[in-house]
Every structure is written in structure tokens, then in C-alpha cells.
Amino acid sequence: MAFTRRDFLGAAAALPLAGPGLWKTALAAADPTAQVLRATSGMTRLVPGDFPETQIWGYDGSTPGPVIRVRQGETIVRRFINELPQPSTVHWHGIRLKNGMDGVPGLTQALVPPKGEFLYEFDAPDAGTYWYHPHNRTWEQMARGLYGAIVVEENEPPVADRDEVLLIDDWRLQPDASIAGGFDAMMDWSHGGRMGNWLTVNGKGEYRQPARHGERLRLRLVNVANARIFPLRLDGLEGWIVALDGQPLARPERAGRMVLAPAQRIDLLVDVVAADGARASIDFLSGNDIYPLVGFDIDGRVRTERLSPPAPLAPNPVPPLGDTGQARTVTLRMEGGAMGGMGGAMMGGRMMGMRNLVAAGRVWAFNGVADMPDAPLLAASRGETVKIDMINDTAWPHAIHLHGHHFRKIDKNGQAGPLRDTLLVDRGETAQIALVADNPGKWLLHCHMLEHSAGGMMTWIDVAA
Ligand code: C2O
Ligand code: CU
């Protein structure tokens, strides 16, 4: 099926900002020896062809920022320098690190002001695919391109001819390929979040690369979009999901249709089965449209026999769940948003009506509170197994992310699913998760649709030292 840039942008013309005719065509001491990570602006070609380059914000001036690659157990040290016109911080998504390095302003550190800096230093206990991004005005800073991948290599990596990170983003661009403003638009906040009209992989539109028939590829998919959920399928590629959100599956699973919600990762091991001269792809299933996000042009062949199916990756040192039947359970009720029927919520310790909430940019709530609560959702003793009942009482899906821990979804029969750090909970859906609260400190729990989180879907848990 032919699906062109024009079609995609045409289909996106219903977006609020897409008009007719669009796309016709300071705190830690500075360590001068540490490697620098600079948040700054830069120019990049997001849209190929005759379009101008786009001014972005990126780590070291590029989007994505540099891939941070270490071996399991190694220490990551970065001297973060903020050259943005706004305060920022860096959050290392999915890494079970010490609390003071988690990058959450007001909870684990102070904001790093423009021209300020902060020294991040932490160990990477788990092998897998992780990523880093700002945690202040995240909805704007990430929409401008600030993010990068972290690859923590296994001590015994699986057999693969290539290992690639694929960061998938969704940009809202103007006809001159510049980034559209309107980051604080309540229309986006109260609906699905800021959706774009241009897709990139690793900062490139129409991402394609050569491959050979018979190759085995390790592909690390990361959804770095503000709010878009990507239903995906493979074409001309066959293989297995070997890890989710960095954590290995106990048994690799056949990769069929997949859903990649904001902030989630899927690690694939796939064999190129498309014939020499043909094309393979990872396709985004957008309604009835099929949009090839990642294209592989098959040129040549290697090996005549398929490699054997991969063995499971070695598990990471995540503690096993205790007795989930006995575990303490708290409820997280998601409320608000368009068509949600929320009448009001607490904000700043006061009950407020919807009109005042909207005026204050608070259109969502957890448990009736539309901003960061003073008291944690849950205070756990260290090592305690706890459960959270997540009730999506809204008309929208939410990608709920817990900092500093991985959790498992518990199904109706009490069976625990794979470890994750971000769970998609569909509209009207209820999901129970369980985790071992073994990492002391204050950990954010929020929706990773960034406009939802900004609009009130944010709380925290406290794990005793
Ligand atoms: Cu990836 Cu609190 O975020
Ligand atoms: Cu949400």
C-alpha cells in the first residue's frame, strides 16, 4: 500500500492547528572531569525534501540526544548543563536509581535554572532499554525534541547482527517545518494530549535503512511522543519480543501486533524474512491507515537457514513479589478530562469547581486531587509488597508510570504479568499492579501523556529508608 508523507499529513489535517492547505505538499558540585550533557537548541532536518530545517531543543543540540551506552552495573555520570531559556532537570526513565538522582523538581532536587548545572551520578543495575528526558515543563521540552536513549548492555548479549535503538516521535509542525507553539492549549490537555502531524524515528522523517535477507536485528523501540499511542505490526520481519520497559520476558513472545504507549519500550529480536530487493517495515496502524514508520530496503542476503529462536535474556536483579494476596492495596482513581463528567477537585488543599480548575490548567485528577498532593498515595516500608488498584474513570486511555521501580500487572486470577514501568490503562478499564517497594525515597507516579500529567494526573509514593 502506498502511503506517503502527503497522505499522513493530509489525514492529520483535522488536528486543531492544521489549517486548510497545510502541507500542500544547580545544586550538586560541578565535576569538571565528568562528561557533559548539554540541553541546548539546535537545527535539524525533520522533514526531508525542500522543507527548511527545524529549530529544536536537544541534548548536545541534537534530537535524539546521544545514546548513553554502558554495561550492566556500571555507573553513569553526566554533568548536566542547562542552556535552555527555561529551568530543567534530567529524569532517567526506568532506571532503578537512587532517589536523589531521579530528576523530579520539588520532590528529589531543585530546578536547574538557565545557565545552571547539576551532576548526575548513579548505577545502572538492570540491563535493557531505558531513556532520559527533562522533568520540567516536560510537555513543552519533550515536544521540542529533548530526549535520548540509554542502553544498558547485558553481560551476555543475545546473538544479533545489529543492535539499534529506534526512538519514535510525533511532532506538531507548521507549514515551514517549525515546531508549532500552543503547548499549554487546554483543548489538547483535556483530550488525548498534544498530537502531532509529523512522525520521526531517531529524528528523521521517512526513516529507512538497508538490511539483508536473513539478518537478525535487535531493535529497541522507544515511544518518546508526548501522548500518541502507537499500535504497530511487523512486515517482512519475524521474531520475538524479548523485553518490555527494559525488563526481560521470562519467555520470549512471538511479535505480532504490538501497542507502544508513551514512554514504553519493546525490545525485539527479529529476522529479516523479506526477499532480496523487497522491503520490510515496522508499520504504525493509524485507524485504517498503515504508515511505515521504519523501512528496511533489503539488499543482499546473509545465511540460508534461520537462526534458532532466542533464549530468554537473563533476568535483572528485581526482587520477587511477596504474597500479593495479603499485600496492602491502595486505589488510584483517574478522573476528569473531556467527557469525563468531573464536577470539581481539590487543588492547593481547597475544593474547586471545574471552571476554576480549567482556568488554572487542572483538568485531570487522581483520587479527587488535581495537583501534586502533600501526602503520598502510599507510604510503604522498605521491601514491602504493595498493590495499586488503578481505575480509569475517564473517557481516555492513560499510560501510568511509576518512578524508581518496576511493577507487574495482576490479572483477575491473581497471575502476575511481566515487569513494566509504564502501563496503559484504557478508558473505563481497571488494572491492578503489584510491586516490591524496595527503593527508598519519594517516587512520582503519573500519567505519561505529558499534558495529562501537567493537567493534574500526578501523585507520589514514599518508601521508607
Ligand atoms: Cu518518563 Cu516521570 O517520566
Ligand atoms: Cu493520561
Side-chain angles (χ1 to χ4, degrees):
M1 156 170 197
F3 202 81
T4 64
R5 168 173 37 164
R6 186 179 302 214
D7 293 333
F8 179 72
L9 293 164
L15 292 167
L17 291 191
L22 179 67
W23 297 108
K24 241 190 239 114
T25 81
L27 182 67
D31 172 356
T33 64
Q35 201 172 327
V36 166
L37 184 70
R38 210 179 285 276
T40 188
S41 71
M43 297 298 291
T44 193
R45 184 164 296 286
L46 292 179
V47 189
D50 302 333
F51 291 88
E53 292 196 320
T54 303
Q55 183 172 17
I56 54 91
W57 290 356
Y59 291 109
D60 294 354
S62 69
T63 186
V67 177
I68 296 177
R69 199 175 261 277
V70 294
R71 293 290 288 278
Q72 183 171 14
E74 279 181 355
T75 303
I76 294 175
V77 184
R78 287 295 183 280
R79 179 180 164 202
F80 170 63
I81 300 179
N82 183 10
E83 290 179 359
L84 303 175
Q86 297 175 357
S88 195
T89 59
V90 189
H91 170 58
W92 316 89
H93 185 117
I95 306 259
R96 297 184 303 123
L97 41 55
K98 53 192 176 193
N99 194 238
M101 296 291 123
D102 198 39
V104 181
L107 196 67
T108 71
Q109 70 166 94
L111 280 168
V112 182
K115 300 201 171 66
E117 57 178 86
F118 188 92
L119 185 68
Y120 289 99
E121 181 168 8
F122 52 90
D123 297 340
D126 301 330
T129 306
Y130 305 92
W131 62 297
Y132 61 101
H133 64 73
H135 224 295
N136 182 52
R137 280 192 68 81
T138 320
W139 64 97
E140 172 177 357
Q141 296 188 6
M142 267 180 50
R144 292 185 182 276
L146 267 179
Y147 52 75
I150 305 171
V151 172
V152 183
E153 290 173 350
E154 294 88 10
N155 290 313
E156 289 176 52
V159 174
D161 297 304
R162 273 196 273 163
D163 180 335
E164 294 203 32
V165 190
L166 301 166
L167 295 129
I168 302 169
D169 201 1
D170 170 38
W171 303 75
R172 189 182 289 178
L173 301 180
Q174 308 265 34
D176 64 354
S178 66
I179 295 170
F183 301 103
D184 298 341
M186 279 305 125
M187 190 63 171
D188 292 330
W189 287 35
S190 62
H191 290 72
R194 178 180 165 110
M195 298 291 165
N197 52 4
W198 184 241
L199 302 177
T200 63
V201 174
N202 296 346
K204 293 188 180 64
E206 300 173 350
Y207 186 85
R208 288 171 80 150
Q209 52 174 274
R212 287 172 300 169
H213 176 88
E215 261 187 314
R216 175 161 290 182
L217 313 176
R218 178 172 191 172
L219 304 175
R220 303 169 183 265
L221 311 181
V222 188
N223 183 346
V224 297
N226 277 38
R228 190 182 286 280
I229 299 166
F230 289 97
L232 301 171
R233 68 150 200 206
L234 304 177
D235 188 12
L237 305 169
E238 273 179 26
W240 298 264
I241 300 172
V242 292
L244 293 172
D245 296 350
Q247 301 293 351
L249 295 185
R251 192 164 307 154
E253 221 172 76
R254 272 273 168 200
R257 294 208 171 191
M258 301 169 278
V259 175
L260 192 64
Q264 290 184 330
R265 285 86 69 212
I266 298 177
D267 277 42
L268 296 171
L269 277 171
V270 296
D271 296 333
V272 178
V273 297
D276 189 5
R279 217 168 146 194
S281 56
I282 301 175
D283 299 329
F284 164 40
L285 306 172
S286 170
N288 290 326
D289 292 327
I290 298 169
Y291 182 80
L293 265 181
V294 183
F296 297 94
D297 298 308
I298 316 304
D299 183 14
R301 50 192 303 154
V302 294
R303 66 178 69 87
T304 46
E305 261 173 55
R306 293 278 297 267
L307 293 170
S308 45
L313 301 173
N316 285 316
V318 179
L321 288 175
D323 182 351
T324 52
Q326 299 298 312
R328 199 147 57 90
T329 308
V330 295
T331 296
L332 183 77
R333 185 180 293 274
M334 308 165 210
E335 298 150 326
M339 297 165 287
M342 182 166 83
M346 297 292 285
M347 189 186 143
R350 289 195 308 130
M351 190 64 195
M352 289 183 39
M354 217 41 217
R355 185 192 302 241
N356 289 332
L357 287 172
V358 172
R362 299 303 159 83
V363 284
W364 300 93
F366 280 156
N367 295 345
V369 180
D371 58 3
M372 183 72 165
D374 291 334
L377 174 75
L378 170 72
S381 55
R382 189 170 180 181
E384 185 183 355
T385 294
V386 292
K387 291 188 293 189
I388 303 175
D389 274 332
M390 298 182 175
I391 302 169
N392 185 346
D393 211 355
T394 79
W396 304 88
H398 301 289
I400 305 295
H401 170 50
L402 174 63
H403 285 215
H405 297 78
H406 279 72
F407 53 78
R408 296 179 190 272
K409 185 175 170 179
I410 307 292
D411 71 15
K412 306 248 174 312
N413 305 317
Q415 292 298 313
L419 286 165
R420 299 218 72 138
D421 62 39
T422 307
L423 183 71
L424 185 62
V425 186
D426 222 332
R427 59 192 74 125
E429 194 193 341
T430 292
Q432 184 176 71
I433 63 164
L435 65 130
V436 182
D438 69 329
N439 197 356
K442 297 176 174 175
W443 303 104
L444 215 55
L445 176 66
H446 65 93
C447 181
H448 221 289
M449 275 90 171
L450 302 173
E451 293 74 20
H452 294 178
S453 160
M457 297 193 109
M458 193 177 289
T459 185
W460 58 291
I461 72 168
D462 193 7
V463 181

